Amino acid sequence: MLSRWENAEVSTRLFIEVAHKDQATYAAITRKDDWGNGTNTAFLIYLTADAFGIPTHYKPAKPFLPAYQSLLEAWRTTDEAIFQDAMLAAIEFHISRSKNATERNNYEFDDYFDRIYPAELLAVQALRRRDGLPEFQTGHLLVDTPWSIIRDAEPVEPHPVFVAVQDRMRQDYSGFV
């Protein structure tokens, strides 16, 4: 997602298709704790749909989180202060939900990797770069540190096993992209 834009667009189309099916299949009551909760998954649906110009009628069951709504409105801005304010609010939400899940509460970022690698926020930085927008720092180490490392990472060749599996999938399933 951070640089292979043709693959990212195909993945986004499939992601949105699944979101639409999830929305159509499950009642609002069952969606409120998963994709429909208006947080990071909904944010990624809207962000990538906007970035790739893919129409969507997806609506989270719970109201959209204000911090992510603000970032969606500001992600393409060329005003550094507006961008930083929106990113910092989203970062604070990410941090506030980075803890172990309990029997009573689920947290969006309860996986250790998700706590230190805010993929949804790094996607904003990558998409801004793709679109030639100014590469503003956020002013927070949670995003600025991993972004400084991955933004200039050289692509690596896929593992031979991955290539073999991918080739076989294309051979066996005509719709496999």
Side-chain angles (χ1 to χ4, degrees):
M1 175 60 199
L2 298 177
S3 66
R4 294 189 172 141
W5 301 118
E6 186 177 305
N7 292 348
E9 183 173 355
V10 170
S11 295
T12 295
R13 288 184 186 284
L14 295 172
F15 185 41
I16 290 170
E17 185 179 315
V18 170
H20 288 166
K21 286 179 182 177
D22 180 74
Q23 178 175 276
T25 304
Y26 299 103
I29 194 75
T30 60
R31 292 179 59 235
K32 70 179 177 58
D33 292 324
D34 196 22
W35 285 40
N37 68 6
T39 60
N40 61 316
T41 304
F43 173 77
L44 281 170
I45 291 166
Y46 283 92
L47 174 69
T48 55
D50 182 37
F52 293 109
I54 301 168
T56 181
H57 59 270
Y58 180 79
K59 298 279 187 244
K62 285 185 180 177
F64 206 65
L65 183 75
Y68 281 153
Q69 181 64 49
S70 295
L71 184 53
L72 279 175
E73 293 166 5
W75 82 269
R76 291 183 192 248
T77 187
T78 56
D79 184 310
E80 186 171 13
I82 290 172
F83 177 75
Q84 285 179 335
D85 286 347
M87 281 293 274
L88 288 172
I91 290 167
E92 288 305 318
F93 171 76
H94 188 102
I95 291 169
S96 75
R97 303 295 289 183
S98 294
K99 46 185 137 182
N100 290 330
T102 67
E103 289 182 19
R104 298 182 130 213
N105 296 308
N106 288 325
Y107 297 103
E108 287 81 356
F109 311 108
D110 68 342
D111 182 83
Y112 293 109
F113 184 76
D114 292 336
R115 291 180 193 179
I116 60 168
Y117 190 81
E120 79 282 11
L121 304 177
L122 294 169
V124 170
Q125 294 289 58
L127 289 165
R128 286 180 59 82
R129 175 179 252 199
R130 178 199 72 160
D131 292 349
L133 294 167
E135 292 192 38
F136 300 135
Q137 293 213 346
T138 65
H140 199 287
L141 294 174
L142 184 68
V143 172
D144 293 343
T145 300
W147 180 244
S148 71
I149 295 166
I150 64 173
R151 74 172 186 220
D152 296 321
E154 292 293 323
V156 296
E157 292 299 317
H159 192 280
V161 172
F162 173 78
V163 172
V165 169
Q166 192 175 37
D167 289 344
R168 182 61 189 257
M169 293 292 289
R170 284 189 181 115
Q171 176 185 335
D172 293 351
Y173 302 99
S174 62
F176 184 76
V177 180

